[in-house]
Amino acid sequence: MSLPPEKASELKQLIHQQLNKMDVHGRIREVLAETIREELAPEQQLSTEDLIKALRRRGIVDDVMKELTFVTDLADGELTSSPKPSNFNDKQSTLLKKTNIDPTRRYLYLQVLGGKAFLEHLQEPDPLPGQICSTFTLCLHFRNQRFRSKPVPCACEPDFHDGFLLEVHRESLGDGTRMADATTMLSICDPVHMVLIKTDIFGETSLVASYFLEWRSVLGSDNGMTNIAVELLGVGTESKVSVGVLNVKLEVYPQLNQTLSQEIVNTQLALERQKTAERERLFLVYAKQWWREYLQIRPSHNSRLVKIFAQDENGINRPVCSYVRPLRAGRLLDTPRQAARFVNVLGYERASVIGGGGKHEQWCTLLAFLCRNKGDCEDHANLLCSLLLGYGLEAFVCVGTKAKGVPHAWVMTCGTDGTITFWESLTGHRYIHKPINPDDPPAVEQPKPLYPYRTIGCVFNHQMFLGNCQPSDSVELCVFDLNDESKWKPMSEEAIKSVCAPGATTSLPPFPPLCASMIDSSVTSNEIEMQLRLLVSEHRQDLGLTTVWEDQLSYLLSPALASYEFERTTSISAGNEEFQDAIRRAVPDGHTFKGFPIHFVYRNARRAFATCLRSPFCEEIICCRGDQVRLAVRVRVFTYPESACAVWIMFACKYRSVL
């Protein structure tokens, strides 16, 4: 492959800089003098081959080659450096792998060289070899590139030693192929978003810290290299408390021909902060004015759930519109309904609060939500709305209440024919909304709502925010004609754009791409099935019962599990007739068949088994007594992006009926 002339000269310049940096010319002169003095007769000429052999023998060639390639530790899931694919490479390998880099691109090499002062783990004993322990994992996102460190045991000084090669590239004006210089890099205001996740011995994840690293300080260092002590603060109610410090080393590669002065870098950062603060101040002034006008329409509006700002995991108030953005899933999800199923199988967990006092509000940034693999209803609704917008639908997040006045968030889509559809992000269910007309005479039959929602205060997406100003905020009475300002009071789209459009402010968290699943569906299904067989056998043994498994019957349960998942995704039932026919053929006359399917979004077999035993129907199958009892269990794991999964389990038994 031939390079264009300008690229070739650029590459030569890079190699020349590297050779000068290592003083290779001086070392070659020393070897040349030494070789002539020690190994050659006075009349003998020194050939090029002889000199190269001498250089190889002294390791100089190897040193140069090592310096010209980056070595990165890809153990347990570090990503490749390319910004285009966003799939994790999670091979359980401890080998150091050389990463091929494009010599015409600029890179930021970010190394995490240990942590300290994680005082919550001060008394944590060192794990014994092979012992399962709680671990820390560091997740990074930078300009459409995602990385994950290898897990390290939780400790006061966690042993992080990972390197991440982040490509610094331009995305506009046809400059994507040209190497970024210092001035261009200074104009790239995207931070490196770092999220620290803790995984306990049961596989449960929790969010420890979320930090936005300002990396451009490295542009003002003399040698293109700088060390930073990153103090991580807690999340939610602990957002002002330090949880630990990470030692981070930043290096620009290849080295910059011309570095900037620290004063220029600091001035640029100060100007960006000033611009952001001014935009946020103006939006706050506008939001206060809008709220005053909204209250003047009807005093009862004060009690409606009209949410203009929401706190993120770091306790920072952000406009709700900034939590939503059109998000394309590439080839990872094919349909809007499949996207709804993916969001549904991400775990649900309310934000924790110390002591009583009800629910603590915490809307997570998308990276924190995806890395933790679980979140509150608002996190699910924001992600589902973003995905539906990516599919070209007119989607909005709705904020209101469910039964008993419990605050809730769900998603609404408006069809071109005026059809209003509600999407429940926690279950994947869809409901068609048909408003009730309270002025109709009693004889007119009114539609009975099937959805669980009671009131609605506002709807929003990345461009619009509308407050409900109808006489009643009851969902069943609401008319969703969003263009009618007598029913829905809009905010200025320009005002929203000034603080919520991509790149509008430096305080806006960038949206990461989705990553493909790292779970092997077949292997995981087999593992869980084997563990459940063992647990059932032990449970029956404790009851004094023998256990005989029938593999063929277990296999026949597979179509039913596939049918259940297909129905959850598409709302269409298929394949049930073949399953029933196969079971009738497998169960002899005079025998009884019983089956119990159940669905989970986690892969812990022991926890699933304990849940199954709480069902009297399942317990009846597992503890079945009778003549010629044969047991069966089938597990099917359906994988989704971000390693989310739907786990279907079916227990079954057949036995001779004895009257």
Side-chain angles (χ1 to χ4, degrees):
M1 186 185 82
S2 61
L3 285 172
E6 67 273 10
K7 293 283 172 68
S9 61
E10 214 168 34
L11 185 56
K12 285 177 184 174
Q13 186 184 358
L14 290 174
I15 295 171
H16 181 69
Q17 284 176 355
Q18 190 65 37
L19 294 177
N20 283 341
K21 177 183 169 186
M22 296 176 64
D23 191 26
V24 171
H25 296 105
R27 293 167 72 183
I28 289 173
R29 279 194 291 272
E30 287 174 15
V31 172
L32 183 59
E34 192 179 318
T35 306
I36 290 171
R37 188 171 61 251
E38 295 178 3
E39 299 178 16
L40 295 181
E43 68 280 355
Q44 191 177 344
Q45 293 293 318
L46 179 67
S47 68
T48 308
E49 288 79 10
D50 292 332
L51 179 58
I52 289 174
K53 278 180 190 171
L55 292 173
R56 280 189 187 280
R57 210 163 44 238
R58 287 161 177 77
I60 292 172
V61 174
D62 289 340
D63 287 348
V64 172
M65 295 311 292
K66 278 179 192 170
E67 284 293 324
L68 287 173
T69 21
F70 259 101
V71 177
T72 54
D73 187 353
L74 294 189
D76 197 41
E78 181 164 330
L79 283 164
T80 56
S81 62
S82 169
K84 301 299 180 287
S86 56
N87 302 345
F88 285 136
N89 172 19
D90 194 29
K91 294 185 172 60
Q92 296 290 329
S93 162
T94 53
L95 297 173
L96 288 176
K97 184 176 175 182
K98 290 184 179 178
T99 303
N100 293 323
I101 65 166
D102 183 346
T104 65
R105 289 292 185 102
R106 190 79 67 189
Y107 295 91
L108 178 69
Y109 189 47
L110 187 154
Q111 296 177 74
V112 184
L113 304 173
K116 57 188 177 186
F118 285 79
L119 300 180
E120 191 178 328
H121 302 279
L122 189 60
Q123 305 299 325
E124 201 109 353
D126 290 336
L128 299 171
Q131 180 187 1
I132 297 174
C133 63
S134 299
T135 59
F136 283 138
T137 308
L138 190 64
C139 305
L140 273 69
H141 169 231
F142 178 70
R143 293 177 74 74
N144 218 35
Q145 304 161 75
R146 286 181 61 184
F147 301 81
R148 183 190 291 267
S149 74
K150 58 180 180 291
V152 299
C154 292
C156 183
E157 296 186 355
D159 189 27
F160 284 110
H161 275 91
D162 283 280
F164 308 98
L165 199 57
L166 295 90
E167 186 176 333
V168 185
H169 57 97
R170 287 177 281 193
E171 298 166 328
S172 61
L173 303 175
D175 287 334
T177 57
R178 199 179 303 164
M179 184 183 287
D181 57 16
T183 309
T184 305
M185 292 174 76
L186 186 60
S187 69
I188 296 174
C189 58
D190 295 318
V192 179
H193 191 181
M194 307 170 73
V195 169
L196 185 63
I197 300 292
K198 178 182 176 181
T199 308
D200 67 16
I201 57 174
F202 304 107
E204 290 296 307
T205 56
S206 57
L207 180 61
V208 178
S210 173
Y211 185 83
F212 294 94
L213 176 67
E214 179 48 76
W215 55 273
R216 287 175 289 176
S217 58
V218 73
L219 301 176
S221 58
D222 295 332
N223 54 358
M225 195 183 300
T226 187
N227 290 287
I228 304 172
V230 173
E231 184 184 14
L232 301 176
L233 300 178
V235 295
T237 52
E238 300 173 34
S239 59
K240 301 288 185 281
V241 181
S242 175
V243 294
V245 176
L246 292 179
N247 299 317
V248 173
K249 181 181 179 182
L250 296 174
E251 184 176 358
V252 175
Y253 186 84
Q255 271 196 341
L256 294 165
N257 295 335
Q258 188 176 0
T259 58
L260 303 172
S261 72
Q262 198 64 53
E263 188 181 354
I264 290 175
V265 175
N266 293 340
T267 303
Q268 172 70 15
L269 300 183
L271 284 171
E272 287 176 5
R273 282 194 295 269
Q274 187 180 340
K275 178 184 168 188
T276 295
E278 180 61 15
R279 286 192 173 196
E280 290 175 346
R281 185 189 68 79
L282 290 173
F283 181 77
L284 181 59
V285 169
Y286 170 76
K288 285 180 176 178
Q289 176 62 28
W290 183 93
W291 178 245
R292 279 194 295 271
E293 292 171 0
Y294 182 72
L295 292 182
Q296 285 169 9
I297 297 171
R298 205 174 280 110
S300 61
H301 285 181
N302 196 35
S303 61
R304 294 190 180 182
L305 276 177
V306 179
K307 191 143 198 65
I308 303 171
F309 295 93
Q311 281 192 358
D312 67 7
E313 66 266 23
N314 291 326
I316 296 170
N317 274 314
R318 301 187 190 279
V320 291
C321 296
S322 69
Y323 290 89
V324 174
R325 195 179 301 174
L327 181 64
R328 301 202 313 193
R331 299 191 185 277
L332 301 179
L333 298 167
D334 295 320
T335 66
R337 295 193 188 190
Q338 198 179 9
R341 179 60 173 155
F342 156 59
V343 176
N344 155 222
V345 298
L346 289 169
Y348 169 62
E349 181 182 82
R350 294 177 64 174
S352 59
V353 61
I354 299 172
K359 177 184 173 182
H360 169 71
E361 180 191 76
Q362 179 179 302
W363 291 31
C364 279
T365 54
L366 183 55
L367 184 68
F369 176 38
L370 294 176
C371 294
R372 190 171 53 142
N373 245 220
K374 58 186 175 185
D376 213 332
C377 62
E378 293 88 357
D379 302 323
H380 286 79
N382 290 334
L383 175 56
L384 178 56
C385 183
S386 297
L387 288 166
L388 296 183
L389 287 167
Y391 281 111
L393 301 180
E394 188 180 11
F396 296 87
V397 175
C398 303
V399 179
T401 62
K402 291 196 298 185
K404 299 181 182 175
V406 176
H408 191 60
W410 66 97
V411 178
M412 170 183 81
T413 52
C414 307
T416 51
D417 59 354
T419 304
I420 300 297
T421 307
F422 292 149
W423 303 63
E424 177 47 62
S425 58
L426 296 179
T427 63
H429 293 158
R430 298 163 67 253
Y431 309 96
I432 303 297
H433 171 71
K434 292 177 181 172
I436 293 172
N437 187 352
D439 299 328
D440 280 344
V444 177
E445 189 178 348
Q446 297 286 2
K448 189 173 181 181
L450 301 172
Y451 45 77
Y453 318 120
R454 294 292 177 266
T455 67
I456 181 165
C458 64
V459 300
F460 67 87
N461 61 18
H462 63 302
Q463 293 175 326
M464 300 169 69
F465 183 95
L466 301 118
N468 182 4
C469 53
Q470 296 170 65
S472 169
D473 63 350
S474 173
V475 177
E476 59 187 22
L477 299 177
C478 276
V479 175
F480 288 91
D481 180 3
L482 302 182
N483 295 317
D484 186 345
E485 294 193 12
S486 68
K487 294 182 172 63
W488 296 92
K489 179 173 171 58
M491 267 194 171
S492 159
E493 290 189 27
E494 284 301 313
I496 292 169
K497 199 174 176 181
S498 70
V499 288
C500 297
T505 64
T506 53
S507 64
L508 205 61
F511 263 46
L514 295 183
C515 289
S517 178
M518 297 183 285
I519 297 169
D520 186 315
S521 174
S522 301
V523 171
T524 310
S525 299
N526 282 335
E527 285 176 354
I528 297 173
E529 195 170 302
M530 290 299 107
Q531 291 170 24
L532 287 175
R533 282 196 176 200
L534 187 62
L535 290 167
V536 170
S537 299
E538 289 175 351
H539 186 74
R540 287 177 62 84
Q541 190 175 349
D542 292 343
L543 298 173
L545 301 170
T546 58
T547 306
V548 181
W549 295 100
E550 186 171 313
D551 291 340
Q552 176 61 14
L553 184 60
S554 296
Y555 180 71
L556 295 184
L557 304 178
S558 294
L561 300 183
S563 176
Y564 298 149
E565 182 62 21
F566 183 75
E567 187 175 354
R568 286 288 180 100
T569 307
T570 63
S571 305
I572 300 168
S573 180
N576 202 33
E577 301 82 3
E578 294 90 342
F579 167 66
Q580 290 182 0
D581 189 60
I583 294 298
R584 287 192 190 100
R585 289 175 176 277
V587 178
D589 290 341
H591 283 64
T592 300
F593 171 84
K594 290 181 180 177
F596 176 79
I598 191 168
H599 167 254
F600 299 100
V601 294
Y602 51 80
R603 306 189 302 278
N604 187 321
R606 192 172 290 276
R607 181 179 163 194
F609 183 65
T611 304
C612 292
L613 282 179
R614 288 201 285 272
S615 164
F617 302 106
C618 188
E619 190 191 23
E620 190 180 319
I621 292 170
I622 291 171
C623 306
C624 180
R625 297 170 183 265
D627 186 24
Q628 297 180 23
V629 175
R630 298 291 182 269
L631 292 170
V633 62
R634 192 65 170 172
V635 176
R636 179 72 167 86
V637 175
F638 296 88
T639 58
Y640 288 90
E642 299 296 330
S643 298
C645 60
V647 179
W648 283 96
I649 300 172
M650 193 170 191
F651 290 100
C653 68
K654 66 176 185 181
Y655 58 93
R656 184 194 291 275
S657 304
V658 180
L659 297 174

